[in-house]
Amino acid sequence: MKGRKANWILRVVAMTPLLLSAGCAMVGIHHVTQKDYAAQRRSDVLSTRALSDSTIQSLNVVALNRDTCAANFPRCTNTLLYSDGLNDERRLSALSELWLSFAIQIDRASKGEPISDTALDAYLQSARYAYAYLFYTARAPGERVFETRQSQVLSFYNYATQRAVASFFKLLPKLGTNWTSAPVAGWQLLKPDSDVYLGSGDHIPHDLIPAEGLRFSGLRNVYRRDGFGSEFVAIGATPPDTGPWRESNYVPMTAVLKFPGETLQSVLDTHDVRVYAKNPYIDSSISLDSQNIPLAANFTAAYGVWLAQSGFAKDSLRALFGRGGINKPEVLLMQPYDPNRLTVIMLHGLASSPEAWINVVNEVMGDEQLRHTYQVWEVYYPTNAPVAANLMQIRKAIDETLQHFDPSGRATASNHIVVIGHSMGGVIARLLVSSSDDKLWSVVPERPGLSDEQRKALRQRLAPYLQFEPMPQVSRAVFLAAPHRGTPVAQWKLARWIGGLIRLPLTLLEEGKNITDSMQGKNAEPGAAARIPNSIDNLSNEDPFIKASSTLPISPAVHYHTIVGIYKSNGPLAESDDGVVPYASAHLDGADSELSVPSWHDVQETPQAIIELRRILRLHANELHRLWPEGANSPQ
């Protein structure tokens, strides 16, 4: 009896694994941290180089796993594509990620070589499955707007598009312009559809840089818009030197891949693909499958790349000391000219360049309302020349630029212009909106023995520098840390030593000699000549020109504002300074507003000054009823 009982126990023990395996699976439970939960939800092939939890679950449903897919990728993707165990959304999203993972692995193995046809095909497969998921499944994108999975699939599409478009771009020189389609990696690439203008008639980029991985030192913020498509910086050819203007050839671009088809199956069957290149300043959305889809955009990258490749810092110093660099003013358009946007013109200060406005321009372009309302022009000029010479040449450059783009002068861009100037640029900006009458002739030294004819000739030669009226196109101005009445710093020993190193442009020296010759009277000693002051001379509070020009009236048609820096002030505001310019020199009676900011002389870079500039630009546009409505789809 005991033996039988023992045998029964042994049989039960032996059968226990079989009984357990035949019964219901045992379920355990454990908690994960909030960090791990978020990581699992968001993890995918782009963020962690591992397949997402959603794709792993879809593989499990059709009896696949990561290893079986790695061992036989074609069998894995075909099983997913034709299995009845998954709905379209789960099937297509998993296929998009699997093909993207496959493409990335091939790409990494190439070690910097151009994208192979196998990798390009895989990127296009990934983009097509993502495209089908987004637009050809039962639910529209708006019905999944809060779902993590749709955000992941959108990222798969955008990255695959970036890699494919970068590869297509390298083919464009071989294809030329006279083509409609071309075979690429087993696909038919249809001729791109583009509205990206790169300045001076150029529509085809000479270089294309993905914006996604770019980071910039010196720029506080990167302004972008989430959405559909891949963000690029498109770089055109250097514009020809046909005048003082330079249209931007660094332009933001958003690329979209479209796979033609009326139904889900026709999209999955097609091997045709077309690139749509969109300018995000013009296009905020694209129509796909009868839906208005918001476009992704990066509004900082093109500006950052342009500044990084400009060489402004070195050139501006070379120009100051007359050792090369720029020798006449240029009007640099930050975006291709738009007749329907208001214009902001910015003038930098002494020994500076457009880099002085690095964060100001970025903040304006990053503000959706201001971006659609304004276009920015930066005046780049040699800061060794005296104020009067730069004033005349800058005025001429702006006039020629306006005449070139708008001969009739009727465009929005040519009227109600806002001029913004920092430091010496602020002095020039004020003179652009002032009237000289005959008040500056006192700075010309009297020369005895001049005949009436000689006096007339001298006056004609000096008139472009000393006689001017306000620019009629300008209706608002902002002056930042501008030494309207000069600064005693210009008389300091160090400033005078630097001033002694400045070499004036040869053309200005020649003009100075001509003026000197015109001033020679009958009794003048041979070789007598008038010294031409340089920019540092002009900025002294004892300089005759700065004294005379500080009293000139600003046009009553112009609203003006001042922003001043206050550096380590312990006393009354009227006795303060920004380390370079006294408050008493920067202050202007009659200003619509004045803001004092705790800052050194480079006040234009402070957040407070930038906020104030944005306020003033909004005010200006509102008064003209031109401010672009917040949240509007696209500019007109």
Side-chain angles (χ1 to χ4, degrees):
M1 191 73 176
K2 288 182 179 179
R4 290 180 181 177
K5 186 174 181 180
N7 287 337
W8 180 81
I9 292 172
L10 289 173
R11 288 176 184 175
V12 169
V13 171
M15 292 177 64
T16 297
L18 295 175
L19 292 170
L20 289 174
S21 64
C24 295
M26 298 180 67
V27 176
I29 185 170
H30 66 281
H31 292 280
V32 296
T33 65
Q34 184 179 10
K35 180 179 179 181
D36 289 341
Y37 171 77
Q40 289 175 8
R41 291 283 294 167
R42 297 169 185 168
S43 173
D44 58 42
V45 68
L46 288 176
S47 61
T48 61
R49 300 187 180 183
L51 294 177
S52 65
D53 191 50
S54 295
T55 293
I56 294 297
Q57 289 183 33
S58 295
L59 292 175
N60 290 341
V61 170
V62 294
L64 294 171
N65 57 46
R66 187 185 296 113
D67 294 334
T68 57
C69 282
N72 193 332
F73 187 74
R75 177 178 175 273
C76 172
T77 54
N78 282 330
T79 301
L80 271 174
L81 184 59
Y82 297 111
S83 172
D84 293 331
L86 298 169
N87 63 25
D88 287 337
E89 287 188 5
R90 296 188 67 181
R91 181 195 333 278
L92 296 171
S93 60
L95 283 166
S96 178
E97 186 170 14
L98 284 167
W99 276 105
L100 184 60
S101 176
F102 183 61
I104 291 172
Q105 289 175 17
I106 299 171
D107 232 358
R108 288 203 187 106
S110 69
K111 297 181 179 179
E113 292 296 317
I115 298 175
S116 66
D117 282 357
T118 304
L120 178 55
D121 172 60
Y123 281 124
L124 290 171
Q125 296 279 6
S126 174
R128 180 176 60 179
Y129 284 120
Y131 185 85
Y133 165 92
L134 291 168
F135 306 116
Y136 288 87
T137 49
R139 292 190 296 167
E143 298 176 83
R144 299 179 296 231
V145 68
F146 297 115
E147 294 185 15
T148 301
R149 189 52 167 170
Q150 177 162 278
S151 297
Q152 289 177 321
V153 175
L154 178 60
S155 296
F156 302 157
Y157 173 87
N158 287 348
Y159 184 76
T161 295
Q162 179 203 110
R163 299 298 292 152
V165 170
S167 182
F168 291 155
F169 170 72
K170 293 179 171 60
L171 299 174
L172 291 181
K174 299 177 184 177
L175 296 174
T177 57
N178 189 25
W179 64 284
T180 55
S181 66
V184 181
W187 293 70
Q188 279 296 121
L189 173 62
L190 308 180
K191 191 170 184 177
D193 183 304
S194 174
D195 66 2
V196 176
Y197 174 66
L198 294 159
S200 302
D202 198 0
H203 288 267
I204 299 176
H206 285 231
D207 197 5
L208 200 62
I209 303 174
E212 180 190 43
L214 297 177
R215 298 295 182 271
F216 303 97
S217 59
L219 282 167
R220 283 196 288 268
N221 298 308
V222 173
Y223 286 100
R224 53 179 310 281
R225 180 176 64 214
D226 287 332
F228 188 66
S230 185
E231 305 148 25
F232 288 91
V233 176
I235 304 175
T238 302
D241 188 2
T242 56
W245 57 87
R246 298 287 182 274
E247 275 197 280
S248 174
N249 59 323
Y250 288 73
V251 178
M253 185 189 97
T254 301
V256 168
L257 293 181
K258 185 174 182 179
F259 302 88
E262 296 297 324
T263 64
L264 172 59
Q265 193 57 51
S266 63
V267 169
L268 297 181
D269 289 341
T270 189
H271 272 70
D272 290 348
V273 59
R274 188 187 302 276
V275 178
Y276 286 80
K278 295 295 182 181
N279 180 347
Y281 282 114
I282 299 173
D283 305 301
S284 58
S285 62
I286 186 172
S287 180
L288 294 171
D289 190 35
S290 301
Q291 301 175 64
N292 208 36
I293 307 301
L295 281 172
N298 189 314
F299 298 102
T300 295
Y303 180 60
V305 172
W306 173 69
L307 284 173
Q309 297 183 359
S310 67
F312 284 138
K314 183 184 294 185
D315 281 352
S316 62
L317 288 176
R318 289 172 61 204
L320 176 66
F321 295 112
R323 302 295 191 269
I326 189 170
N327 57 25
K328 59 183 179 180
E330 296 179 351
V331 181
L332 308 178
L333 282 65
M334 297 296 98
Q335 307 92 22
Y337 174 77
D338 187 338
N340 298 316
R341 282 182 168 92
L342 293 167
T343 302
V344 178
I345 298 177
M346 297 183 177
L347 292 90
H348 60 78
L350 179 71
S352 190
S353 72
E355 287 185 316
W357 304 110
I358 178 172
N359 282 297
V360 178
V361 174
N362 187 47
E363 296 296 320
V364 171
M365 293 194 295
D367 184 299
E368 183 180 10
Q369 285 186 294
L370 298 182
R371 180 172 66 244
H372 288 321
T373 303
Y374 290 97
Q375 59 194 325
V376 177
W377 297 2
E378 295 191 37
V379 177
Y380 183 29
Y381 64 98
T383 62
N384 54 350
V387 170
N390 265 325
L391 171 65
M392 184 271 290
Q393 292 178 345
I394 288 171
R395 172 74 174 262
K396 184 172 180 285
I398 294 173
D399 285 343
E400 289 181 9
T401 302
L402 291 169
Q403 175 65 24
H404 170 74
F405 287 107
D406 180 28
S408 71
R410 297 175 182 173
T412 298
S414 300
N415 295 279
H416 300 292
I417 292 173
V418 180
V419 173
I420 302 175
H422 170 249
S423 192
M424 186 169 76
V427 174
I428 295 171
R430 187 179 67 81
L431 296 179
L432 287 173
V433 295
S434 299
S435 175
S436 66
D437 294 324
D438 287 332
K439 295 179 180 178
L440 296 181
W441 290 104
S442 61
V443 304
V444 181
E446 287 288 339
R447 289 297 178 99
L450 291 181
S451 66
D452 290 343
E453 186 176 343
Q454 287 176 315
R455 291 180 186 280
K456 182 179 179 181
L458 176 61
R459 193 173 184 90
Q460 288 177 341
R461 188 172 286 278
L462 289 174
Y465 302 97
L466 301 178
Q467 199 145 17
F468 46 83
E469 293 297 323
M471 285 188 67
Q473 302 94 334
V474 178
S475 62
R476 193 174 297 269
V478 187
F479 315 118
L480 297 97
H484 301 296
R485 301 171 187 85
T487 170
V489 171
Q491 299 181 64
W492 290 1
K493 186 175 181 179
L494 177 60
R496 285 159 54 195
W497 177 75
I498 293 173
L501 298 177
I502 291 177
R503 296 293 179 267
L504 295 175
L506 180 60
T507 54
L508 190 58
L509 291 173
E510 292 173 348
E511 177 69 356
K513 184 179 184 305
N514 292 333
I515 292 172
T516 299
D517 290 344
S518 300
M519 295 170 66
Q520 299 297 322
K522 294 178 181 178
N523 300 321
E525 297 179 7
R531 177 183 175 273
I532 301 175
N534 59 41
S535 52
I536 291 183
D537 295 329
N538 269 169
L539 294 180
S540 166
N541 58 332
E542 297 298 327
D543 180 71
F545 179 86
I546 206 74
K547 283 184 173 182
S549 64
S550 67
T551 65
L552 300 182
I554 294 175
S555 167
V558 174
H559 295 273
Y560 58 96
H561 310 257
T562 61
I563 300 176
V564 300
I566 306 300
Y567 183 66
K568 295 182 179 179
S569 175
N570 296 316
L573 180 63
E575 298 175 9
S576 65
D577 60 63
D578 63 13
V580 176
V581 176
Y583 170 83
S585 183
H587 170 77
L588 289 176
D589 291 334
D592 284 28
S593 67
E594 178 180 88
L595 175 70
S596 58
V597 177
S599 170
W600 175 251
H601 182 58
D602 55 353
V603 65
Q604 83 283 1
E605 280 289 279
T606 64
Q608 300 98 312
I610 292 173
I611 290 171
E612 175 69 355
L613 286 171
R614 289 167 70 166
R615 180 194 72 81
I616 292 169
L617 291 175
R618 276 198 171 85
L619 171 69
H620 183 67
N622 271 326
E623 290 184 355
L624 298 170
H625 305 291
R626 294 288 306 177
L627 187 63
W628 184 250
E630 189 171 5
N633 289 330
S634 61
Q636 298 299 316

PDB file of all heavy atoms in Angstrom, residues 23 65 69 141 152 204 285 316 347 349-350 381 418 464 485 497 499 515 570 574 595:
ATOM      1  N   GLY A  23      -2.365  24.206 -18.583  1.00  0.00           N
ATOM      2  CA  GLY A  23      -3.355  25.066 -17.964  1.00  0.00           C
ATOM      3  C   GLY A  23      -3.173  26.513 -18.366  1.00  0.00           C
ATOM      4  O   GLY A  23      -2.451  26.846 -19.301  1.00  0.00           O
ATOM      5  N   ASN A  65       9.458  37.914 -33.908  1.00  0.00           N
ATOM      6  CA  ASN A  65      10.135  38.709 -32.890  1.00  0.00           C
ATOM      7  C   ASN A  65      11.336  39.412 -33.527  1.00  0.00           C
ATOM      8  O   ASN A  65      11.602  39.256 -34.718  1.00  0.00           O
ATOM      9  CB  ASN A  65      10.568  37.839 -31.698  1.00  0.00           C
ATOM     10  CG  ASN A  65      11.465  36.688 -32.113  1.00  0.00           C
ATOM     11  OD1 ASN A  65      12.410  36.872 -32.878  1.00  0.00           O
ATOM     12  ND2 ASN A  65      11.170  35.486 -31.607  1.00  0.00           N
ATOM     13  N   CYS A  69      13.111  38.549 -37.328  1.00  0.00           N
ATOM     14  CA  CYS A  69      13.123  39.596 -38.352  1.00  0.00           C
ATOM     15  C   CYS A  69      14.538  39.916 -38.791  1.00  0.00           C
ATOM     16  O   CYS A  69      14.795  40.168 -39.973  1.00  0.00           O
ATOM     17  CB  CYS A  69      12.437  40.859 -37.830  1.00  0.00           C
ATOM     18  SG  CYS A  69      10.629  40.753 -37.838  1.00  0.00           S
ATOM     19  N   PRO A 141      -5.448  61.912 -39.485  1.00  0.00           N
ATOM     20  CA  PRO A 141      -4.441  62.295 -38.487  1.00  0.00           C
ATOM     21  C   PRO A 141      -5.014  63.057 -37.298  1.00  0.00           C
ATOM     22  O   PRO A 141      -4.562  62.870 -36.167  1.00  0.00           O
ATOM     23  CB  PRO A 141      -3.480  63.184 -39.300  1.00  0.00           C
ATOM     24  CG  PRO A 141      -3.595  62.678 -40.701  1.00  0.00           C
ATOM     25  CD  PRO A 141      -5.032  62.274 -40.854  1.00  0.00           C
ATOM     26  N   GLN A 152       5.375  59.015 -33.323  1.00  0.00           N
ATOM     27  CA  GLN A 152       6.521  58.211 -33.721  1.00  0.00           C
ATOM     28  C   GLN A 152       6.550  57.999 -35.233  1.00  0.00           C
ATOM     29  O   GLN A 152       7.594  58.168 -35.881  1.00  0.00           O
ATOM     30  CB  GLN A 152       6.475  56.846 -33.017  1.00  0.00           C
ATOM     31  CG  GLN A 152       6.769  56.909 -31.529  1.00  0.00           C
ATOM     32  CD  GLN A 152       6.641  55.547 -30.872  1.00  0.00           C
ATOM     33  OE1 GLN A 152       5.746  54.762 -31.194  1.00  0.00           O
ATOM     34  NE2 GLN A 152       7.539  55.260 -29.934  1.00  0.00           N
ATOM     35  N   ILE A 204      17.427  76.460 -57.688  1.00  0.00           N
ATOM     36  CA  ILE A 204      18.034  75.157 -57.428  1.00  0.00           C
ATOM     37  C   ILE A 204      19.181  75.334 -56.432  1.00  0.00           C
ATOM     38  O   ILE A 204      20.130  76.078 -56.692  1.00  0.00           O
ATOM     39  CB  ILE A 204      18.559  74.517 -58.727  1.00  0.00           C
ATOM     40  CG1 ILE A 204      17.401  74.311 -59.709  1.00  0.00           C
ATOM     41  CG2 ILE A 204      19.246  73.188 -58.432  1.00  0.00           C
ATOM     42  CD1 ILE A 204      17.824  73.764 -61.053  1.00  0.00           C
ATOM     43  N   SER A 285       1.334  75.104 -44.528  1.00  0.00           N
ATOM     44  CA  SER A 285       0.653  73.813 -44.640  1.00  0.00           C
ATOM     45  C   SER A 285       0.725  73.328 -46.079  1.00  0.00           C
ATOM     46  O   SER A 285       1.091  74.075 -46.990  1.00  0.00           O
ATOM     47  CB  SER A 285      -0.804  73.922 -44.184  1.00  0.00           C
ATOM     48  OG  SER A 285      -1.516  74.826 -45.020  1.00  0.00           O
ATOM     49  N   SER A 316      34.845  92.849 -40.545  1.00  0.00           N
ATOM     50  CA  SER A 316      34.484  94.156 -39.987  1.00  0.00           C
ATOM     51  C   SER A 316      35.690  94.840 -39.355  1.00  0.00           C
ATOM     52  O   SER A 316      35.845  96.064 -39.461  1.00  0.00           O
ATOM     53  CB  SER A 316      33.358  93.999 -38.957  1.00  0.00           C
ATOM     54  OG  SER A 316      33.771  93.181 -37.867  1.00  0.00           O
ATOM     55  N   LEU A 347      20.883  98.905 -38.603  1.00  0.00           N
ATOM     56  CA  LEU A 347      22.234  99.437 -38.803  1.00  0.00           C
ATOM     57  C   LEU A 347      23.069  99.159 -37.560  1.00  0.00           C
ATOM     58  O   LEU A 347      22.720  99.583 -36.449  1.00  0.00           O
ATOM     59  CB  LEU A 347      22.198 100.943 -39.071  1.00  0.00           C
ATOM     60  CG  LEU A 347      21.582 101.413 -40.382  1.00  0.00           C
ATOM     61  CD1 LEU A 347      20.080 101.658 -40.214  1.00  0.00           C
ATOM     62  CD2 LEU A 347      22.239 102.713 -40.841  1.00  0.00           C
ATOM     63  N   GLY A 349      26.789  99.133 -35.266  1.00  0.00           N
ATOM     64  CA  GLY A 349      27.630 100.222 -34.785  1.00  0.00           C
ATOM     65  C   GLY A 349      29.088 100.095 -35.179  1.00  0.00           C
ATOM     66  O   GLY A 349      29.456  99.323 -36.083  1.00  0.00           O
ATOM     67  N   LEU A 350      29.955 100.823 -34.489  1.00  0.00           N
ATOM     68  CA  LEU A 350      31.378 100.904 -34.779  1.00  0.00           C
ATOM     69  C   LEU A 350      32.049  99.542 -34.608  1.00  0.00           C
ATOM     70  O   LEU A 350      31.776  98.815 -33.654  1.00  0.00           O
ATOM     71  CB  LEU A 350      32.032 101.923 -33.843  1.00  0.00           C
ATOM     72  CG  LEU A 350      33.536 102.132 -33.989  1.00  0.00           C
ATOM     73  CD1 LEU A 350      33.858 102.861 -35.283  1.00  0.00           C
ATOM     74  CD2 LEU A 350      34.088 102.902 -32.781  1.00  0.00           C
ATOM     75  N   TYR A 381      28.196  98.062 -43.386  1.00  0.00           N
ATOM     76  CA  TYR A 381      28.948  99.190 -43.918  1.00  0.00           C
ATOM     77  C   TYR A 381      30.307  99.287 -43.228  1.00  0.00           C
ATOM     78  O   TYR A 381      30.490  98.809 -42.110  1.00  0.00           O
ATOM     79  CB  TYR A 381      28.167 100.495 -43.744  1.00  0.00           C
ATOM     80  CG  TYR A 381      27.923 100.902 -42.310  1.00  0.00           C
ATOM     81  CD1 TYR A 381      28.730 101.838 -41.676  1.00  0.00           C
ATOM     82  CD2 TYR A 381      26.865 100.351 -41.578  1.00  0.00           C
ATOM     83  CE1 TYR A 381      28.502 102.217 -40.368  1.00  0.00           C
ATOM     84  CE2 TYR A 381      26.638 100.718 -40.264  1.00  0.00           C
ATOM     85  CZ  TYR A 381      27.462 101.647 -39.659  1.00  0.00           C
ATOM     86  OH  TYR A 381      27.243 102.012 -38.353  1.00  0.00           O
ATOM     87  N   VAL A 418      10.556 100.702 -40.832  1.00  0.00           N
ATOM     88  CA  VAL A 418      11.093 100.899 -39.481  1.00  0.00           C
ATOM     89  C   VAL A 418      12.614 100.817 -39.569  1.00  0.00           C
ATOM     90  O   VAL A 418      13.162  99.840 -40.089  1.00  0.00           O
ATOM     91  CB  VAL A 418      10.573  99.832 -38.503  1.00  0.00           C
ATOM     92  CG1 VAL A 418      11.156 100.072 -37.105  1.00  0.00           C
ATOM     93  CG2 VAL A 418       9.057  99.832 -38.449  1.00  0.00           C
ATOM     94  N   PRO A 464      26.043 116.628 -50.829  1.00  0.00           N
ATOM     95  CA  PRO A 464      25.566 115.264 -50.548  1.00  0.00           C
ATOM     96  C   PRO A 464      25.867 114.800 -49.127  1.00  0.00           C
ATOM     97  O   PRO A 464      25.196 113.911 -48.603  1.00  0.00           O
ATOM     98  CB  PRO A 464      26.330 114.414 -51.573  1.00  0.00           C
ATOM     99  CG  PRO A 464      26.673 115.357 -52.679  1.00  0.00           C
ATOM    100  CD  PRO A 464      26.935 116.661 -52.001  1.00  0.00           C
ATOM    101  N   ARG A 485      24.961 112.826 -29.057  1.00  0.00           N
ATOM    102  CA  ARG A 485      25.762 114.000 -28.709  1.00  0.00           C
ATOM    103  C   ARG A 485      27.220 113.623 -28.446  1.00  0.00           C
ATOM    104  O   ARG A 485      27.962 114.359 -27.807  1.00  0.00           O
ATOM    105  CB  ARG A 485      25.155 114.687 -27.484  1.00  0.00           C
ATOM    106  CG  ARG A 485      23.712 115.141 -27.712  1.00  0.00           C
ATOM    107  CD  ARG A 485      23.049 115.611 -26.442  1.00  0.00           C
ATOM    108  NE  ARG A 485      21.626 115.873 -26.679  1.00  0.00           N
ATOM    109  CZ  ARG A 485      20.668 114.941 -26.636  1.00  0.00           C
ATOM    110  NH1 ARG A 485      20.992 113.678 -26.341  1.00  0.00           N
ATOM    111  NH2 ARG A 485      19.412 115.262 -26.870  1.00  0.00           N
ATOM    112  N   TRP A 497      44.413 106.270 -29.710  1.00  0.00           N
ATOM    113  CA  TRP A 497      45.443 105.392 -30.282  1.00  0.00           C
ATOM    114  C   TRP A 497      44.840 104.490 -31.353  1.00  0.00           C
ATOM    115  O   TRP A 497      45.399 104.332 -32.443  1.00  0.00           O
ATOM    116  CB  TRP A 497      46.076 104.555 -29.177  1.00  0.00           C
ATOM    117  CG  TRP A 497      47.093 103.568 -29.693  1.00  0.00           C
ATOM    118  CD1 TRP A 497      48.360 103.848 -30.131  1.00  0.00           C
ATOM    119  CD2 TRP A 497      46.918 102.163 -29.826  1.00  0.00           C
ATOM    120  NE1 TRP A 497      48.987 102.698 -30.540  1.00  0.00           N
ATOM    121  CE2 TRP A 497      48.117 101.637 -30.353  1.00  0.00           C
ATOM    122  CE3 TRP A 497      45.860 101.287 -29.552  1.00  0.00           C
ATOM    123  CZ2 TRP A 497      48.291 100.286 -30.617  1.00  0.00           C
ATOM    124  CZ3 TRP A 497      46.032  99.940 -29.803  1.00  0.00           C
ATOM    125  CH2 TRP A 497      47.227  99.442 -30.331  1.00  0.00           C
ATOM    126  N   GLY A 499      42.071 105.149 -32.967  1.00  0.00           N
ATOM    127  CA  GLY A 499      41.711 106.047 -34.057  1.00  0.00           C
ATOM    128  C   GLY A 499      42.881 106.335 -34.974  1.00  0.00           C
ATOM    129  O   GLY A 499      42.721 106.508 -36.184  1.00  0.00           O
ATOM    130  N   ILE A 515      37.938 117.777 -52.300  1.00  0.00           N
ATOM    131  CA  ILE A 515      37.308 118.809 -51.479  1.00  0.00           C
ATOM    132  C   ILE A 515      38.345 119.829 -51.013  1.00  0.00           C
ATOM    133  O   ILE A 515      38.115 121.047 -51.036  1.00  0.00           O
ATOM    134  CB  ILE A 515      36.587 118.171 -50.274  1.00  0.00           C
ATOM    135  CG1 ILE A 515      35.379 117.353 -50.762  1.00  0.00           C
ATOM    136  CG2 ILE A 515      36.154 119.235 -49.264  1.00  0.00           C
ATOM    137  CD1 ILE A 515      34.717 116.537 -49.684  1.00  0.00           C
ATOM    138  N   ASN A 570      24.829 104.183  -9.829  1.00  0.00           N
ATOM    139  CA  ASN A 570      24.542 104.378  -8.405  1.00  0.00           C
ATOM    140  C   ASN A 570      23.894 105.730  -8.133  1.00  0.00           C
ATOM    141  O   ASN A 570      23.606 106.063  -6.987  1.00  0.00           O
ATOM    142  CB  ASN A 570      25.838 104.273  -7.583  1.00  0.00           C
ATOM    143  CG  ASN A 570      26.448 102.886  -7.663  1.00  0.00           C
ATOM    144  OD1 ASN A 570      25.731 101.899  -7.562  1.00  0.00           O
ATOM    145  ND2 ASN A 570      27.760 102.823  -7.857  1.00  0.00           N
ATOM    146  N   ALA A 574      19.977 110.508 -15.182  1.00  0.00           N
ATOM    147  CA  ALA A 574      20.554 111.510 -16.080  1.00  0.00           C
ATOM    148  C   ALA A 574      22.082 111.520 -16.026  1.00  0.00           C
ATOM    149  O   ALA A 574      22.736 112.008 -16.951  1.00  0.00           O
ATOM    150  CB  ALA A 574      20.011 112.888 -15.749  1.00  0.00           C
ATOM    151  N   LEU A 595      13.264 103.162 -22.875  1.00  0.00           N
ATOM    152  CA  LEU A 595      13.468 102.050 -21.946  1.00  0.00           C
ATOM    153  C   LEU A 595      14.925 102.036 -21.520  1.00  0.00           C
ATOM    154  O   LEU A 595      15.831 102.050 -22.354  1.00  0.00           O
ATOM    155  CB  LEU A 595      13.119 100.719 -22.622  1.00  0.00           C
ATOM    156  CG  LEU A 595      13.403  99.463 -21.781  1.00  0.00           C
ATOM    157  CD1 LEU A 595      12.431  99.365 -20.612  1.00  0.00           C
ATOM    158  CD2 LEU A 595      13.329  98.201 -22.640  1.00  0.00           C
TER     159      LEU A 595
END
